[in-house]
């Protein structure tokens, strides 16, 4: 390594620190240079946005045969929720509350992507978000920091470690460091200004978890944070991430982000921008050309030192070595991806993933599951026969021709039923009275209507913020007409974000399924639930607000000095809307009912060295086998700073036959009880802690015990 470094010219070094985009897909503005020419000149270390046998082989051949030092390229793509087989979008998959599932789909994605020549994914995306206006909310694991941290760990292990075969492992790049999910107004790329406490409690823990799990890369956010542009944030990138957390992987800028320091108004030109980014700790410049253009001059002027550049190059070369590229530059590449042996297996897995991610939120009079013998089913709505949308954003190699929409899923699974389809409305645009009339006629002639509303996938993901995260008027008009028929109605919502659903539509729907974007097998998975072949087990990873003015609304709010009290006009409240979300984090139904026994704890007092053991019986009081999701929360009633009324610390899923009961066990130790004190350092107090176990975040579904913390050492 050192020998290679010693042989490199400055241009070659800066080349290793440069990542350019090919154009198989476009994920940002075009750069000025042709990447192929740059590769030939030895001025590129890795490419993004390309994959596939012929493309990768050719690019790598040029690097190996036509450049002076023959250093292999690496290839990175946003493999966010699947490569060719598309799994549910992260916000939906998070609703499965299933660490094994999160790992499995990451491992399978890596398996497919590495066959296509990809060694790096710009994932997991860990930007905790409470704002459905932000299009990128679809990419994160929801509103809670702990859940995003658990998701981070699972994804990193799944991508990087779970496959026994080294060629099937893919390096993760956790992004976007940090608090991108708090962009003001939910407007993409906008300013971020959150407190240091919010960073410590909510936004940093997922990244800490990714680092602890050994993530290979970190990508800083495009945004600024309290006035400091993240691509120049030395205190967070260098002092915290590198020094305090001991992260020794690569830091990769976001697309053109170093050059954007000029727009942020903290750099006068590319040289300035390059100096700031290098000083902050960014090793790889993605698509800005800032390092290549700016660092030679900065070096000449003594603004940076060659040792700083060498450290970055060393990290890039070490990363390539860890990827096995020096040993075999074509590692893992196969002619056909994902290969006939893996595809059916992954599709079955995607169907399972989607079933586990879909949240049943309302089911009046047990309308669902529908009897297998249902005669006439109307599949209505703009999303009913639109499998392409169900793949969601960032489904790069996903082929929409392979995806299964709701209509096809219904036709396959309800083989004995007569299924009619009328679109009734476009996804977004003017309403059409004739389309609505046809939908009404079909609905009236049916025993049940499945009304599939939702989003266009172009309207979500990056650069897709909306001030109105709600069904467009044309869909509402259709829905009004369908509700008015009085036909039993199952509302299926295929969205990338929480939507604001009017009360009349909630009331007019007997059952509501929050299908979100379920990926390649979304249609079959949804039909499996409608017919009862799968008993829904998912719970919301994100709250669904009543209206836009309520945003942000989330489950772990603080009590305030004037807690909400409907009988007290001087308590925290809205005059024109309820205080709670329509559907809260943790909400979700199943076809069974899970009942909890008393919560038992082995000791009533603990100290900083002890672990307490909790046990609770859960019984499936329903008639169908199913998987119960049970959460462990705590509440710290008296602390140095205000604490949320409830905060999640763990969760488990357990399969129960009808009538079966099981004892679930949790542990809690002092580390889980610490919180950032006044000085933001982890703090543990003496006194009472309430431990809460529940099937949701709602008081009615919970059991509580109190324990006493008595520290041995008092400081
Ligand atoms: C910009 C996005 O912010 C980032 O998430 C992504 O990885 C890059 N583009 C590359 O596509």
């Amino acid at each position: 390594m050192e020998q290679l470094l010693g042989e490199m010219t400055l241009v070659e070094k800066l080349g290793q620190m440069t990542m350019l985009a090919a154009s198989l897909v476009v994920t940002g503005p075009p750069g000025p240079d042709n990447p192929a020419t740059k590769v030939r000149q030895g001025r590129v270390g890795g490419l993004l946005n390309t994959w596939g046998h012929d493309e990768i082989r050719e690019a790598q051949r040029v690097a190996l045969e036509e450049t002076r030092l023959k250093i292999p390229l690496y290839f990175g793509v946003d493999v966010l929720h699947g490569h060719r087989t598309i799994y549910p979008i992260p916000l939906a998959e998070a609703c499965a509350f299933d660490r094994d599932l999160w790992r499995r789909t990451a491992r399978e994605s890596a398996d497919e992507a590495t066959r296509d020549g990809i060694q790096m994914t710009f994932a997991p995306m860990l930007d905790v978000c409470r704002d459905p206006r932000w299009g990128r909310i679809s990419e994160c694991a929801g509103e809670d920091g702990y859940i995003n941290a658990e998701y981070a760990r699972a994804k990193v292990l799944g991508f990087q470690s779970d496959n026994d075969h080294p060629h099937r492992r893919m390096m993760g790049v956790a992004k976007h460091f940090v608090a991108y999910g708090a962009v003001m107004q939910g407007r993409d790329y906008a300013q971020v200004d959150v407190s240091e406490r919010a960073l410590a409690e909510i936004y940093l823990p997922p990244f800490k978890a990714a680092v602890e799990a050994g993530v290979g890369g970190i990508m800083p956010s495009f945004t600024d944070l309290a006035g400091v542009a993240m691509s120049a944030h030395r205190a967070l990138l260098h002092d915290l991430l590198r020094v305090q957390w001991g992260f020794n992987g690569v830091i990769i800028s976001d697309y053109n982000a170093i050059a954007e320091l000029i727009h942020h108004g903290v750099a006068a030109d590319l040289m300035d921008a390059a100096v700031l980014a290098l000083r902050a700790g960014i090793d790889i410049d993605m698509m800005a050309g800032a390092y290549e253009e700016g660092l030679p001059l900065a070096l000449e002027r003594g603004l940076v030192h060659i040792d700083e550049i060498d450290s970055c190059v060393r990290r890039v070369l070490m990363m390539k070595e860890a990827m096995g590229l020096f040993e075999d530059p074509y590692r893992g590449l196969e002619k056909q991806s994902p290969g006939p042996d893996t595809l059916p297996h992954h599709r079955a897995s995607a169907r399972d993933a989607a079933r586990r991610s879909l949240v049943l939120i309302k089911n009046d009079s047990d309308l669902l599951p529908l009897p297998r013998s249902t005669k006439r089913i109307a599949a209505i709505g703009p999303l009913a026969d639109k499998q392409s949308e169900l793949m969601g954003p960032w489904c790069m190699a996903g082929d929409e021709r392979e995806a299964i929409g709701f209509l096809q899923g219904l036709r396959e699974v309800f083989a004995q039923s007569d299924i009619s389809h009328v679109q009734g409305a476009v996804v977004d645009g003017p309403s059409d009275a004739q389309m609505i009339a046809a939908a009404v006629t079909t609905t009236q002639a049916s025993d049940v209507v499945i009304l599939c509303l939702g989003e266009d996938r172009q309207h979500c993901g990056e650069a897709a913020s909306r001030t109105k995260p709600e069904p467009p008027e044309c869909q509402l008009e259709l829905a009004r007409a369908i509700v008015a028929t009085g036909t039993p109605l199952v509302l299926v919502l295929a969205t990338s974000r929480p939507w604001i659903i009017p009360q009349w539509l909630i009331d007019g729907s007997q059952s509501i399924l929050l299908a979100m974007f379920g990926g390649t097998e979304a249609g079959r998975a949804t039909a499996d639930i409608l017919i009862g072949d799968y008993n829904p087990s998912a719970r919301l990873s994100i709250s669904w607000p009543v209206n836009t003015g309520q945003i942000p609304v989330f489950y772990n709010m603080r009590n305030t000095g004037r807690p909400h009290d409907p009988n007290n006009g001087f308590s925290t409240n809205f005059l024109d809307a309820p205080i709670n979300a329509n559907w809260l984090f943790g909400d979700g139904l199943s076809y069974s009912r899970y009942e909890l026994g008393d919560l038992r704890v082995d000791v009533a007092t603990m100290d900083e060295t002890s672990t307490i053991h909790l046990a609770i019986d859960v019984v499936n009081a329903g008639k169908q086998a199913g998987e119960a999701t049970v959460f462990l929360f705590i509440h710290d009633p008296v602390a140095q700073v205000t604490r949320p009324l409830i905060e999640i610390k763990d969760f488990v899923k357990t399969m129960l036959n009808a009538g079966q009961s099981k004892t679930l066990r949790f542990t809690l130790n002092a580390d889980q009880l610490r919180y950032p004190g006044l000085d933001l350092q982890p703090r543990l107090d003496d006194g009472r802690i309430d431990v809460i176990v529940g099937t949701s975040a709602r008081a009615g579904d919970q059991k509580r015990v109190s324990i006493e913390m008595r520290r041995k050492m008092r400081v």
Side-chain angles (χ1 to χ4, degrees):
M1 188 79 41
E2 288 307 310
Q3 197 192 332
L4 180 57
L5 191 63
E7 287 171 29
M8 292 169 87
T9 62
L10 178 61
V11 170
E12 284 161 341
K13 286 179 182 175
L14 298 177
Q16 289 307 307
M17 294 164 66
T18 298
M19 187 174 204
L20 289 185
S23 50
L24 199 56
V25 286
V26 177
T27 63
D33 305 311
N34 177 350
T37 313
K38 288 266 178 162
V39 171
R40 208 159 264 121
Q41 294 167 339
R43 292 160 82 175
V44 180
L47 292 178
L48 73 148
N49 292 351
T50 185
W51 63 84
H53 183 268
D54 297 351
E55 290 80 355
I56 299 291
R57 245 196 162 352
E58 176 53 18
Q60 197 65 294
R61 187 199 62 73
V62 173
L64 295 174
E65 293 177 9
E66 299 186 23
T67 66
R68 191 178 78 91
L69 291 174
K70 308 184 183 346
I71 302 174
L73 295 167
Y74 62 91
F75 299 91
V77 172
D78 295 274
V79 180
L80 230 91
H81 55 115
H83 179 56
R84 180 157 146 203
T85 306
I86 303 298
Y87 302 93
I89 55 169
L91 189 63
E93 204 192 47
C95 297
F97 284 95
D98 186 336
R99 300 170 180 94
D100 292 342
L101 174 73
W102 298 338
R103 282 177 80 148
R104 184 183 87 207
T105 58
R107 173 173 49 77
E108 291 172 0
S109 305
D111 187 291
E112 289 188 8
T114 54
R115 286 169 205 269
D116 252 347
I118 297 167
Q119 301 92 25
M120 175 193 283
T121 175
F122 310 120
M125 193 276 213
L126 304 175
D127 299 315
V128 178
C129 182
R130 287 118 182 238
D131 194 333
R133 295 174 298 182
W134 192 45
R136 303 199 77 170
I137 197 170
S138 58
E139 300 174 39
C140 76
E143 71 188 37
D144 185 76
Y146 167 78
I147 297 302
N148 275 271
E150 290 297 285
Y151 175 86
R153 232 184 286 279
K155 287 297 174 193
V156 170
L157 294 173
F159 287 138
Q160 297 193 163
S161 325
D162 281 354
N163 203 306
D164 292 338
H165 200 302
H167 285 174
R168 296 284 161 254
R169 297 183 194 149
M170 171 168 73
M171 186 186 113
V173 179
K175 68 188 188 185
H176 307 82
F177 192 75
V178 60
Y180 186 11
V183 277
M184 204 165 272
Q185 304 172 299
R187 178 162 47 86
D188 211 359
Y189 316 126
Q191 67 196 69
V192 172
D193 201 345
V194 297
S195 67
E196 297 215 8
R197 172 163 308 284
L199 284 182
E201 286 184 9
I202 304 163
Y203 297 105
L204 285 170
F207 288 95
K208 182 92 184 301
V211 169
E212 283 167 4
V215 75
I218 297 276
M219 181 188 289
S221 159
F222 278 129
T223 58
D224 72 336
L225 174 60
V228 184
M230 277 310 307
S231 299
H233 209 310
R234 187 174 162 91
L236 285 176
L237 294 175
H238 179 270
D239 302 351
L240 181 79
L241 185 59
R242 284 251 182 257
V243 179
Q244 234 177 286
W245 292 1
F247 174 66
N248 57 13
V250 294
I251 301 183
I252 306 179
S253 85
D254 203 343
Y255 198 113
N256 197 40
I258 301 181
E260 289 166 20
L261 291 173
I262 300 172
H263 293 306
H264 276 293
V266 295
D269 51 30
L270 271 190
M271 183 201 72
D272 241 11
V275 172
L276 281 172
L278 185 75
R279 278 279 146 85
I282 295 182
D283 301 303
I284 297 175
D285 169 352
M286 182 196 285
M287 280 306 278
Y291 278 179
E292 194 193 17
E293 208 179 310
L295 288 183
L297 193 58
L299 209 51
E300 223 178 275
R301 294 194 186 159
L303 299 172
V304 296
H305 195 271
I306 189 70
D307 289 351
E308 294 172 274
I309 292 175
D310 285 351
S311 302
C312 299
V313 179
R314 206 173 276 120
R315 272 193 288 267
V316 174
L317 295 178
M318 275 161 52
M319 173 191 84
K320 291 187 174 185
E321 188 165 72
M323 287 171 167
L325 286 168
F326 286 112
E327 213 173 286
D328 176 4
Y330 300 100
R331 59 148 251 190
L333 189 59
E334 284 185 0
K335 191 100 201 135
Q336 205 187 349
S337 162
D341 48 332
T342 49
L343 195 53
H345 169 62
H346 289 180
R347 297 222 28 165
S349 170
R351 183 172 181 169
D352 176 64
R355 302 192 318 182
R356 290 172 175 280
S357 305
L358 193 155
V359 180
L360 175 67
I361 207 72
K362 181 176 181 192
N363 194 20
D364 274 6
S365 338
D366 293 339
L367 174 65
L368 296 180
L370 298 172
R372 219 163 275 273
S373 58
T374 308
K375 283 212 176 56
R376 293 157 310 172
I377 300 177
I380 305 292
L383 269 290
D385 193 19
K386 267 246 186 312
Q387 76 272 26
S388 51
E389 307 312 317
L390 305 187
M391 292 166 53
W394 302 108
C395 53
M396 311 297 227
D399 186 342
E400 61 185 56
R401 288 165 306 183
E402 293 172 354
I404 309 294
F406 296 129
L407 183 62
Q408 186 178 341
L410 286 169
R411 291 209 160 120
E412 284 180 20
V413 171
F414 285 85
Q416 303 170 23
S417 309
D418 174 9
I419 296 167
S420 325
H421 164 58
V422 177
Q423 194 182 322
V426 293
V427 181
D428 197 359
S431 7
D432 181 323
Q434 272 180 355
M435 283 171 90
I436 295 179
V440 166
T441 309
T442 300
T443 301
Q444 281 165 336
S446 302
D447 302 310
V448 61
V449 52
I450 317 290
L451 178 61
C452 305
L453 306 183
E455 283 182 291
D456 181 330
R457 72 170 143 137
Q458 307 298 337
H459 292 177
C460 57
E462 190 180 339
S465 298
R466 299 185 76 88
T467 57
K468 294 181 183 169
E470 59 192 34
E473 192 46 42
C474 61
Q475 297 198 31
L476 289 177
E477 271 188 41
L478 169 68
R480 266 187 218 106
I482 299 299
V483 168
T485 64
T487 308
L489 194 163
V490 180
L491 178 63
V492 175
L493 293 171
T495 65
S496 69
R497 43 159 67 89
W499 250 9
I500 285 142
I501 308 297
Q503 194 60 44
W504 61 261
L505 183 51
I506 298 175
D507 294 342
S509 310
Q510 275 83 346
S511 300
I512 303 179
L513 282 177
L514 307 181
M516 307 200 77
F517 286 153
T520 307
E521 287 284 335
R524 290 192 182 118
T526 306
D528 289 339
I529 287 185
L530 292 175
I531 207 166
D533 281 350
Y534 184 78
N535 188 355
S537 61
R539 299 285 183 270
L540 285 179
S541 62
I542 184 94
S543 301
W544 286 51
V546 167
N547 60 25
T548 318
Q550 240 192 4
I551 296 171
V553 58
F554 47 93
Y555 84 102
N556 53 348
M557 293 212 172
R558 288 164 151 88
N559 204 26
T560 81
R562 294 190 171 188
H564 176 63
D565 173 357
N567 301 317
N568 177 357
F570 291 101
S571 73
T572 184
N573 205 1
F574 289 118
L575 292 179
D576 59 350
I579 189 164
N580 287 320
N582 258 344
W583 303 308
L584 194 64
F585 169 95
D587 280 357
L589 302 171
S590 106
Y591 298 146
S592 302
R593 233 181 40 255
Y594 306 107
E595 288 171 6
L596 296 175
D598 286 339
L599 179 58
R600 310 184 298 271
V601 58
D602 60 346
V603 285
T605 55
M606 67 184 293
D607 61 43
E608 59 271 52
T609 63
S610 41
T611 296
I612 60 164
H613 298 85
L614 298 143
I616 193 161
D617 295 337
V618 55
V619 62
N620 179 350
K623 296 200 183 76
Q624 190 174 341
E627 216 170 353
T629 309
V630 181
F631 304 103
L632 173 73
F633 303 101
I634 64 157
H635 171 54
D636 186 344
V638 183
Q640 197 183 41
V641 297
T642 63
R643 302 301 305 149
L645 274 172
I646 182 169
E647 41 183 324
I648 190 164
K649 292 291 168 184
D650 202 355
F651 58 88
V652 291
K653 300 203 82 139
T654 187
M655 189 68 205
L656 294 163
N657 290 324
Q660 190 184 359
S661 95
K662 271 189 193 166
T663 303
L664 301 181
R665 295 178 198 284
F666 294 95
T667 57
L668 258 186
N669 60 39
D671 278 344
Q672 290 166 287
L673 303 180
R674 284 182 220 275
Y675 63 89
L678 271 179
D679 58 1
L680 295 176
Q681 293 313 304
R683 183 182 168 90
L684 190 65
D685 302 316
D686 286 338
R688 195 184 99 207
I689 296 282
D690 298 328
V691 182
I692 305 150
V693 172
T695 50
S696 86
R698 296 184 188 262
D701 302 329
Q702 297 167 350
K703 297 291 163 110
R704 293 173 169 251
V705 290
S706 293
I707 53 166
E708 189 73 17
M709 170 59 67
R710 273 194 222 138
R711 288 168 304 153
K712 287 189 197 144
M713 303 263 303
R714 283 152 207 257
V715 274

